[in-house]
Amino acid sequence: MSDETPYVTAPDVLASEPPAPGPRWGRRVAVGGAALAVVVLAAGGYAAYGALSGGGTQPDTLVPANAVGIVELDLNPPAGQKLNAMRLLHRLPKDTVHVGADNYRDALLQTIFAKANGIDYATDVDPWLGDRAAAAVLPPVAGGDSPTTEVVLQVKDVAKFKAAAPKLFSASGDGWVIRDGYVVISQDTDTATRLADSAAKADLADSSDYSLDTSGLGERIMTGWYDLSRAATLLPAATRASVGDAVHGRATFAVRVEPDALELVANETGVTSGAAARVALLPKLPGGTVAALELTGGGQRVAQEWKQVLASMSSSGVDASQLTQTYKRQFGLDLPGDLTTLLGSDAVGAVVVPTDAKTPVFGYVSVTDPAKARALATRLGRLLARFGAPAPTVTSDGLAWGTSPAWAKEATSGDLGSEALVKQALPDLGTASAAVYVNVAGLSALSDGSSSLAGTSSVADAGVAAVGLTSTSDGSTAHLRVRVIFK
């Protein structure tokens, strides 16, 4: 099939009257929701979904060519990913998932469906569910204003699926149709049928953009793709007008399993950006740092995109002019100038637990114009004094601030980048233009009695040791890498 015939030309999909009462967001049958549940990199519970592999019909051939986005998965991955998944599952704390001797597929699905009201995996799902699945978002049907959702699940036994269908769909009201060994699920049977018919004329798998973007991702446990330009057409008119040409390009992501980690890599194509500076502050933070975020070129981005930010705020009903005046009147801050100075060409914020205490130190360092930094430090000092906090320190190349003056003085004379856990979470730190590092175990030690950090202990209890994020760009493609490291 060719992608030259767009989905919107299929009259049996978009030219008919919209169904009533409209798309049922959030009411998909539990088995359809399972296809999306693994998107979340939760605390290891859904770690072992398999990469799309093998021959036969793939789920993206059941999705029309003009899809806005799609997430695909397979429950029978290549041997390497399957082995890594089993190793990772056995590293997780007891009772995180129902780990069997050699069947992680059932272990994970039993965990997911354990919370599905009225649905029993062993009797209602396992007898018919195949290995492949996809969930897609498409433009609204004719006359509608909400996106259309489609779930595609491989069916290994049609008769058993039909026997279970009344129970699976009785509460949701969703409809389905069987095509090419899959069940296509949407808001009603008519829409599901027309989606399948449209895909038969022009499917996403034959789209040149989709094929190009998803090729070369390597072994993975999941694949995602979306078109930002198409997604922009789903925004409210006022918002769409305010963002203008800012939303464009296409993006893909892949999730991979390692014996002790989950990794998500994402690529955005069709973007144009200059050469970004590499992070230089985070690797020099002191030992004991449990969280850090570094961003290069932040000041320049604020200056370039401020008008767009104001337009977006105004389209959302916020009086941007009044807001900036309030900041100047109450806090003495002149936006965007002071924000541009504060972020500078490089900036890092950090949370540190000193070796001799459990009380955390919060700090911030930026490389920026020294003259502007001096004036800003004076204004910020007056503001911080209201809260009993120390004033910023003017350095030879910018600003430094910390709840501990000693930390601010020695902020970038450490060697955090040489720590083993940092290297594991941020393997490409040396080429990144932005980075985030979280030592989950370190943060969880601070969570006692702190509601804001209460979730950290839960993540640590699930076996997560650290999380790292890096962002890089080669001028035409932006790359994001997120790693979740397990104990």
Side-chain angles (χ1 to χ4, degrees):
M1 283 179 272
S2 169
D3 62 347
E4 295 180 356
T5 304
Y7 163 58
V8 294
T9 64
D12 55 344
V13 176
L14 295 181
S16 59
E17 291 298 318
R24 298 176 175 85
W25 288 98
R27 296 175 57 190
R28 292 289 174 262
V29 62
V31 67
L36 289 174
V38 293
V39 177
V40 180
L41 294 178
Y46 308 131
Y49 276 98
L52 292 169
S53 60
T57 303
Q58 299 292 338
D60 51 16
T61 63
L62 279 297
V63 176
N66 76 325
V68 174
I70 184 173
V71 175
E72 301 175 81
L73 60 95
D74 195 314
L75 295 172
N76 185 26
Q81 288 290 282
K82 185 180 294 185
L83 180 60
N84 286 345
M86 286 304 300
R87 288 174 174 171
L88 179 58
L89 281 174
H90 283 286
R91 292 176 67 98
L92 301 181
K94 185 179 180 181
D95 298 329
T96 302
V97 293
H98 303 287
V99 180
D102 58 1
N103 192 338
Y104 80 90
R105 179 185 189 276
D106 285 349
L108 293 178
L109 290 175
Q110 287 171 2
T111 300
I112 292 172
F113 284 100
K115 298 181 179 180
N117 294 332
I119 304 297
D120 181 84
Y121 167 72
T123 59
D124 300 326
V125 179
D126 184 51
W128 61 265
L129 182 63
D131 290 330
R132 297 169 183 147
V137 176
L138 299 105
V141 295
D145 56 6
S146 296
T148 302
T149 56
E150 177 185 13
V151 173
V152 180
L153 303 175
Q154 189 177 44
V155 176
K156 63 185 179 184
D157 191 313
V158 174
K160 291 180 179 179
F161 167 77
K162 290 182 177 180
K167 182 177 182 180
L168 297 173
F169 295 94
S170 60
S172 70
D174 295 326
W176 55 270
V177 62
I178 297 290
R179 293 288 176 86
D180 296 331
Y182 285 82
V183 56
V184 177
I185 306 168
S186 191
Q187 60 205 42
D188 53 51
T189 300
D190 184 54
T191 302
T193 300
R194 285 184 279 129
L195 287 171
D197 289 344
S198 183
K201 299 175 182 178
D203 64 50
L204 185 61
D206 272 349
S207 164
S208 58
D209 286 342
Y210 173 80
S211 299
L212 176 65
D213 295 342
T214 56
S215 64
L217 288 175
E219 286 195 354
R220 53 205 186 265
I221 64 172
M222 184 186 306
T223 305
W225 176 90
Y226 56 94
D227 188 308
L228 295 169
S229 301
R230 294 178 185 177
T233 65
L234 304 181
L235 298 173
T239 304
R240 189 163 61 247
S242 67
V243 299
D245 297 329
V247 180
H248 61 277
R250 304 179 307 277
T252 58
F253 72 82
V255 180
R256 301 164 181 161
V257 183
E258 298 177 8
D260 57 358
L262 277 177
E263 179 177 88
L264 179 147
V265 292
N267 306 305
E268 182 182 356
T269 59
V271 297
T272 302
S273 61
R278 296 180 179 180
V279 298
L281 301 175
L282 190 151
K284 298 178 182 179
L285 290 173
T289 298
V290 294
L293 184 158
E294 181 172 1
L295 175 67
T296 64
Q300 182 180 7
R301 290 176 190 157
V302 168
Q304 292 174 341
E305 300 175 10
W306 187 250
K307 289 184 178 179
Q308 181 180 314
V309 171
L310 295 181
S312 180
M313 292 170 61
S314 297
S315 68
S316 302
V318 177
D319 188 332
S321 176
Q322 183 178 7
L323 185 64
T324 55
Q325 290 174 9
T326 298
Y327 271 89
K328 187 171 185 177
R329 183 174 62 254
Q330 294 188 358
F331 306 120
L333 298 178
D334 186 10
L335 299 178
D338 284 347
L339 183 56
T340 299
T341 299
L342 184 64
L343 293 174
S345 61
D346 195 1
V348 65
V351 181
V352 180
V353 180
T355 55
D356 58 348
K358 275 197 172 184
T359 302
V361 172
F362 299 89
Y364 178 83
V365 176
S366 68
V367 177
T368 189
D369 184 292
K372 293 181 179 179
R374 189 171 296 106
L376 178 58
T378 300
R379 295 196 296 275
L380 286 176
R382 291 194 293 265
L383 174 60
L384 291 170
R386 299 183 188 180
F387 305 96
T393 300
V394 179
T395 66
S396 60
D397 58 1
L399 285 170
W401 172 86
T403 53
S404 165
W407 181 90
K409 184 177 181 181
E410 305 293 335
T412 56
S413 59
D415 60 352
L416 181 67
S418 66
E419 294 186 2
L421 191 58
V422 176
K423 291 181 177 180
Q424 191 178 7
L426 303 171
D428 52 357
L429 182 61
T431 61
S433 59
V436 177
Y437 170 69
V438 179
N439 182 326
V440 175
L443 273 183
S444 66
L446 304 175
S447 64
D448 293 341
S450 173
S451 59
S452 61
L453 293 175
T456 308
S457 290
S458 298
V459 175
D461 291 343
V464 178
V467 177
L469 178 153
T470 50
S471 174
T472 60
S473 174
D474 57 16
S476 61
T477 304
H479 307 279
L480 180 72
R481 186 177 187 181
V482 181
R483 288 176 58 81
V484 181
I485 309 301
F486 292 87
K487 299 174 186 177

